[in-house]
Amino acid sequence: MQMTLEKASRTDLMRAFNQLSTQKIIEVGYPAISILRRGYGTEKVEKVLEVLIVDLSLAFDAELGDQAEELAVEISTRWGSLTLEDVYVCFGDVKKGKHFGKLTQNKVLNALEKQHNNRINASDDYNYNRHLAQKERPGERNNTAERMLNIAAKTRYLHEKAKGESEEI
């Protein structure tokens, strides 16, 4: 988001984002479009989406140029759970894909729906793997439980001690 607001060139954006994958996006935890809208404002986020759409459109002889604003609004409102990085990855896949005929809004929206579903599946896998990793390290979990029990015991002791001191007065 910041790079686009600072008017970074297309090549700068490509250098920064070409190594992204859905898995990396999830691991890093980039903010969702809906969160960016709250932080930066809807107009700025949609303007960044327009830049990405125009870039995609240029790969197909600017077929979506006049529809970029409409498409940006639809993406912003319909797929707020995606990140701008997800959109970038999706559009990269569209550029690399075998699309016969004209690039249309429908093809872009279908690609975004596919990216959204891929992200859900990748998030599920990532969370499941994190869960399994926690299960494999039971010692850490037990240490945490033991610490919590110690804290509770100390709290009870201090409470009883304070109660005993107040009765002596």
Side-chain angles (χ1 to χ4, degrees):
M1 177 76 176
Q2 197 62 37
M3 288 180 71
T4 311
L5 291 175
E6 293 170 357
K7 305 210 187 287
S9 69
R10 287 178 61 203
T11 54
D12 290 337
L13 289 171
M14 288 168 59
R15 284 187 188 107
F17 296 129
N18 272 348
Q19 301 305 314
L20 285 176
S21 66
T22 302
Q23 189 65 32
K24 285 181 184 178
I25 292 168
I26 291 168
E27 289 172 5
V28 171
Y30 291 105
I33 291 172
S34 60
I35 292 171
L36 292 174
R37 281 193 332 242
R38 280 184 259 150
Y40 291 96
T42 302
E43 292 78 22
K44 284 185 181 178
V45 173
E46 289 173 357
K47 190 54 81 178
V48 172
L49 286 167
E50 275 185 66
V51 168
L52 294 173
I53 293 165
V54 167
D55 179 59
L56 172 65
S57 184
L58 290 173
F60 292 90
D61 297 327
E63 292 178 354
L64 293 174
D66 55 338
Q67 301 167 358
E69 185 177 356
E70 274 179 40
L71 200 49
V73 171
E74 184 158 1
I75 293 167
S76 173
T77 55
R78 189 170 176 189
W79 287 291
S81 63
L82 291 177
T83 66
L84 292 174
E85 292 77 10
D86 284 317
V87 174
Y88 185 87
V89 167
C90 175
F91 287 0
D93 292 345
V94 170
K95 288 178 191 178
K96 293 179 225 166
K98 295 179 181 175
H99 296 282
F100 300 103
K102 188 176 179 178
L103 179 68
T104 64
Q105 278 189 0
N106 190 38
K107 288 180 182 177
V108 172
L109 296 175
N110 285 332
L112 284 165
E113 184 68 34
K114 181 180 174 186
Q115 176 67 23
H116 182 255
N117 292 333
N118 288 343
R119 181 179 174 84
I120 289 170
N121 292 334
S123 292
D124 286 345
D125 292 344
Y126 177 74
N127 289 329
Y128 181 69
N129 289 334
R130 281 185 49 203
H131 170 72
L132 290 179
Q134 286 295 327
K135 284 180 92 171
E136 290 174 4
R137 299 183 306 217
E140 286 182 27
R141 185 177 254 166
N142 289 341
N143 288 339
T144 303
E146 286 175 23
R147 281 185 276 153
M148 295 298 287
L149 287 172
N150 287 338
I151 291 170
K154 287 178 185 177
T155 304
R156 265 191 310 254
Y157 169 76
L158 292 173
H159 181 65
E160 288 172 9
K161 187 177 178 184
K163 186 178 177 183
E165 288 176 2
S166 66
E167 289 176 0
E168 290 177 9
I169 297 178

